Amino acid sequence: MLVESGFLEYVTHRRGYSLSIASLSLALSFRSAEPELETALRLMRDLAQGRQVNVDVAIADLDEMVYLESVRFSRKGIFRRMVEGSRTPIADTSLGCAFLAGLDSTQREKMLKTFRPSA
């Protein structure tokens, strides 16, 4: 269905699928519909540079966080940039812990149960 709708295309020399330009257009449409991200990015840059820290904005998607913006300015000279759309697990990252801390206790407990292995 994603191929037929133009969001994926088969790349012969890779013998696999790749996102198409239509996917990029969809992502750019999402970004342009969120003007708050541009304001947040300016504030994030100021904070990151002033404090020499990494600053990220992400949104939860099931058991992962999806990066919307990232400004990397580590004191240790580590400037790895998280690309918008990158995913990281909620359960075992500081970004995920920050997200969980912002939930009310009922939501947090419900989500935490999904991380526990069934025994």
Side-chain angles (χ1 to χ4, degrees):
M1 181 158 164
L2 291 174
V3 173
E4 291 82 17
S5 61
F7 290 101
L8 281 179
E9 54 191 30
Y10 187 76
V11 181
T12 307
H13 70 278
R14 290 186 184 165
R15 296 182 183 163
Y17 292 90
S18 178
L19 292 175
S20 71
I21 295 300
S23 297
L24 177 60
S25 296
L26 187 61
L28 291 174
S29 293
F30 171 81
R31 301 243 337 146
S32 65
E34 301 295 331
E36 296 86 0
L37 286 176
E38 211 41 57
T39 301
L41 184 57
R42 286 191 297 274
L43 296 171
M44 291 166 60
R45 284 185 188 129
D46 290 345
L47 179 63
Q49 290 176 347
R51 302 270 175 110
Q52 294 187 323
V53 295
N54 300 330
V55 181
D56 303 299
V57 172
I59 190 167
D61 182 27
L62 300 175
D63 63 347
E64 295 179 314
M65 298 299 291
V66 179
Y67 286 87
L68 300 178
E69 288 289 354
S70 180
V71 178
R72 314 302 275 184
F73 204 94
S74 170
R75 292 177 215 159
K76 297 179 181 179
I78 303 169
F79 297 102
R80 178 184 67 132
R81 178 150 162 66
M82 297 304 292
V83 177
E84 291 80 8
S86 296
R87 294 175 167 270
T88 188
I90 290 174
D92 52 349
T93 61
S94 59
L95 181 65
C97 289
F99 167 72
L100 291 171
L103 296 176
D104 68 44
S105 59
T106 304
Q107 291 173 312
R108 185 173 37 255
E109 286 303 314
K110 183 178 177 183
M111 183 160 273
L112 288 172
K113 286 179 184 174
T114 66
F115 299 147
R116 295 187 184 128
S118 55

